[in-house]
Amino acid sequence: MDLNLDWGVLLQESPTGDGPYWQLLWTGAKWTVATALTGWALALLVGSIVGVMRTLPYKPLAWLGDAYVEVVRNIPLLVQLFFWFFVWPELLPREIGLWYKQDMPYPEFITAALALGWFTAARVAEQVKSGILSLPRGQKNAALALGFTLPQTYRLVVLPQAFRIVIPPLTSEFMNIFKNSAAALAIGLTELTFQMKQMVEYSNEVIVSIAAVTTIYMVMAFAVNRGMAWLERKSRIPGMIGGGR
Amino acid sequence: MIEIDKVSKWYGQFQVLTDCTTRIAKGEVVVVCGPSGSGKSTLIKCVNGLEPFQSGSILVDGTSVGAPGTNLPKLRSRVGMVFQHFELFPHLSITENLCLAQIKVLGRNADEAREKGLQLLDRVGLKAHAAKFPGQLSGGQQQRVAIARALAMDPIAMLFDEPTSALDPEMINEVLDVMTQLAAEGMTMMCVTHEMGFARRVAHRVIFMDQGQIVEDAAKDDFFGAPRSERAQQFLSKILQH
Ligand SMILES: Nc1ncnc2c1ncn2[C@@H]1O[C@H](COP(=O)(O)OP(=O)(O)OP(=O)(O)O)[C@@H](O)[C@H]1O
Ligand SMILES: [Mg+2]
């Protein structure tokens, strides 16, 4: 086996006109990070709302939340990407739909962030719900008994505890959204995996291309992992299981 | 103060409470006892609207708990409740536990709330622990904080649901002492407990429940002297044996 890697290829000019190959990958990495972070912000927001809805004593809301999670979890991400790219603008009011298709800046990026966000939201909702349900029932009653309204009870008592519990599972969802963002190459977003394909095609250095991109993905995963571990440490409660003193 | 009138409650087909009627006057201390599953917790949770009930009525200081228009958070803020498992908020310090509802529900300012909270913490003998978190206190200490937290709201009545049954024996008395002192100060109290020594010393009346019904509702001396129902007699002899 001849593993004579020519890392120098990274410095060569690519024929795409985007500068040297390393710059091609750098652009890809930036789109990957932007898409994953935007999607994650949406996923956290929507996922938290849906997760809470599913625990509320109002049947229709809980049902709606359950239905959302079931539908989104059972459709492949790629199909959802195509939905947000091709179908969604048709469902919008005509004017807005036209704008979405023709004039919206960065359509691939926005579509990918939307798709990843709503997809990951279902998974976040699942975690948030089980976090809430894992709290002792008495906590909610104790808060209500003090005169807190239900929204106050969630905001001040239930969610601060539930979010601490779900930091570890959310960490893996956060890492997943970076990996899942590779699917966006299917709608033409020039993210990292898309750029890797380009580099492979033009340079013929398959192994170097894959190795470089793998390294970049691993750095991202590592950063997320460390960041979330830091958050977990910061939010640790003294005296609780696994907590500091 | 608390008027419970013909209250019935079902969980689906299963009737948990059947025609429960009693009243607790201002300053009265009433102990509720009965076998496990007899509906004691359910009844006491109906009093502050934590559990809905299907028929009958409960008035707390003249306000109907079950009526559709009732402002339940407001009513609950005036009725203190203490739980078997303390239910301090583990993510908040002891001081924050004492202050949060005062600030968010009663609208007191932070200094006022803090002063009131620390004063009550001192009263239950735990002033030194103000900066700790619930997980750093013993069960008995946590329950005393929970009582202080309820008292910080200046309640018109206090509900206790087996406040000592999750505690190690050596911690039971420190909690009962606080409750005894509270009773001596004239607090209206409804206590679900199997601490018959406490009932004998402190209660004015004892209610005995079985299978969702109030079987006996008697002055303390009558209850311990000669309970009328056979079931109460059996229960007493079992519980007093150990
Ligand atoms: N959410 C619920 N759904 C269905 N049945 C319930 C529910 N909560 C309580 N029950 C039933 O209602 C009955 C009364 O329960 P409750 O907790 O009031 O009893 P208790 O007298 O407080 O008992 P313990 O001494 O064990 O605390 C029990 O038979 C219990 O199984
Ligand atoms: Mg009970």
Side-chain angles (χ1 to χ4, degrees):
Chain A
M1 198 167 72
D2 179 20
L3 263 182
N4 197 1
L5 300 186
D6 177 17
W7 291 96
V9 69
L10 284 167
L11 299 173
Q12 284 169 22
E13 203 67 21
S14 74
T16 57
D18 298 323
Y21 282 115
W22 70 264
Q23 206 164 347
L24 211 67
L25 298 186
W26 176 240
T27 314
K30 283 197 286 191
W31 279 119
T32 292
V33 170
T35 310
L37 290 184
T38 312
W40 182 243
L42 181 64
L44 266 189
L45 180 74
V46 175
S48 301
I49 293 171
V50 173
V52 166
M53 265 167 59
R54 297 172 76 198
T55 66
L56 291 178
Y58 312 113
K59 283 278 143 56
L61 279 183
W63 184 88
L64 201 68
D66 287 347
Y68 169 72
V69 170
E70 282 314 312
V71 168
V72 170
R73 272 204 318 185
N74 290 309
I75 298 175
L77 175 57
L78 217 46
V79 175
Q80 294 188 38
L81 264 170
F82 289 137
F83 167 85
W84 288 100
F85 204 59
F86 296 114
V87 185
W88 175 242
E90 305 299 333
L91 301 177
L92 292 168
R94 217 183 113 71
E95 303 287 297
I96 306 175
L98 272 178
W99 173 83
Y100 192 103
K101 281 188 285 191
Q102 292 168 3
D103 300 324
M104 185 173 72
Y106 309 116
E108 300 86 4
F109 161 68
I110 289 179
T111 307
L114 274 177
L116 278 169
W118 287 95
F119 175 77
T120 309
R123 309 177 61 92
V124 170
E126 194 70 0
Q127 303 298 349
V128 169
K129 177 190 167 182
S130 54
I132 292 172
L133 295 184
S134 73
L135 299 177
R137 236 186 102 71
Q139 285 286 306
K140 184 178 157 199
N141 275 344
L144 292 174
L146 282 165
F148 291 121
T149 59
L150 193 61
Q152 283 178 320
T153 297
Y154 269 84
R155 192 158 50 81
L156 301 168
V157 174
V158 173
L159 291 179
Q161 295 183 60
F163 274 120
R164 282 179 169 89
I165 294 173
V166 300
I167 289 176
L170 286 190
T171 301
S172 57
E173 292 307 334
F174 197 3
M175 287 160 79
N176 278 342
I177 204 170
F178 277 85
K179 293 181 260 173
N180 288 340
S181 68
L185 73 85
I187 56 169
L189 180 68
T190 56
E191 48 70 55
L192 193 50
T193 304
F194 182 96
Q195 301 292 61
M196 178 190 79
K197 259 186 72 196
Q198 298 242 72
M199 184 171 166
V200 167
E201 269 161 37
Y202 293 118
S203 73
N204 265 325
E205 286 288 347
V206 182
I207 299 178
V208 169
S209 307
I210 292 179
V213 164
T214 303
T215 310
I216 298 174
Y217 274 119
M218 280 171 64
V219 168
M220 288 176 188
F222 184 75
V224 168
N225 195 295
R226 291 296 86 204
M228 293 297 272
W230 173 82
L231 188 65
E232 198 180 354
R233 258 196 324 278
K234 283 294 278 188
S235 62
R236 200 166 275 176
I237 301 165
M240 266 176 81
I241 303 157
R245 282 280 137 184
Chain B
M1 178 67 65
I2 300 172
E3 298 165 57
I4 300 172
D5 189 33
K6 291 210 178 69
V7 167
S8 296
K9 176 180 172 67
W10 288 261
Y11 282 120
Q13 295 289 312
F14 175 67
Q15 186 159 13
V16 222
L17 296 176
T18 308
D19 270 341
C20 293
T21 300
T22 191
R23 54 185 53 211
I24 298 170
K26 193 168 186 312
E28 205 173 16
V29 176
V30 173
V31 159
V32 182
C33 61
S36 182
S38 56
K40 309 178 297 290
S41 298
T42 308
L43 182 66
I44 205 167
K45 281 190 213 146
C46 285
V47 172
N48 66 352
L50 286 180
E51 288 284 352
F53 48 91
Q54 283 82 25
S55 76
S57 75
I58 297 180
L59 297 184
V60 175
D61 196 29
T63 307
S64 171
V65 178
T70 301
N71 184 342
L72 273 180
K74 178 132 195 275
L75 182 122
R76 288 173 185 145
S77 73
R78 304 177 65 214
V79 179
M81 185 156 192
V82 175
F83 299 83
Q84 184 173 2
H85 298 287
F86 333 131
E87 307 301 352
L88 293 180
F89 305 135
H91 60 297
L92 301 177
S93 72
I94 301 304
T95 307
E96 289 167 328
N97 264 280
L98 291 164
C99 293
L100 190 65
Q102 292 189 66
I103 295 169
K104 301 284 180 184
V105 176
L106 300 182
R108 289 181 182 154
N109 71 44
D111 292 337
E112 212 181 334
R114 199 183 161 79
E115 191 179 331
K116 175 107 196 166
L118 291 181
Q119 179 199 327
L120 284 160
L121 196 60
D122 193 22
R123 201 182 129 174
V124 298
L126 294 170
K127 196 161 193 179
H129 301 278
K132 289 192 178 169
F133 282 76
Q136 298 171 313
L137 301 187
S138 74
Q141 292 172 329
Q142 288 190 52
Q143 194 61 298
R144 280 143 69 199
V145 173
I147 294 172
R149 177 175 74 178
L151 292 176
M153 304 294 283
D154 291 320
I156 54 170
M158 289 281 287
L159 310 174
F160 293 84
D161 189 1
E162 304 205 32
T164 59
S165 59
L167 295 176
D168 292 337
E170 71 269 20
M171 296 174 185
I172 291 177
N173 279 329
E174 64 190 54
V175 171
L176 290 181
D177 287 347
V178 171
M179 292 169 64
T180 305
Q181 195 193 348
L182 202 56
E185 287 165 18
M187 178 59 78
T188 308
M189 292 164 60
M190 182 171 179
C191 314
V192 176
T193 182
H194 289 161
E195 292 296 329
M196 288 301 133
F198 171 81
R200 251 184 231 218
R201 270 184 292 118
V202 179
H204 301 113
R205 261 174 40 232
V206 178
I207 289 174
F208 174 76
M209 291 185 71
D210 193 19
Q211 296 181 0
Q213 286 178 312
I214 294 183
V215 177
E216 193 116 13
D217 183 350
K220 167 182 60 178
D221 293 332
D222 296 341
F223 184 79
F224 287 112
R228 278 162 295 176
S229 70
E230 202 174 309
R231 272 181 291 181
Q233 282 170 16
Q234 282 171 0
F235 177 76
L236 267 183
S237 67
K238 254 190 230 153
I239 207 164
L240 293 178
Q241 260 165 22
H242 46 256

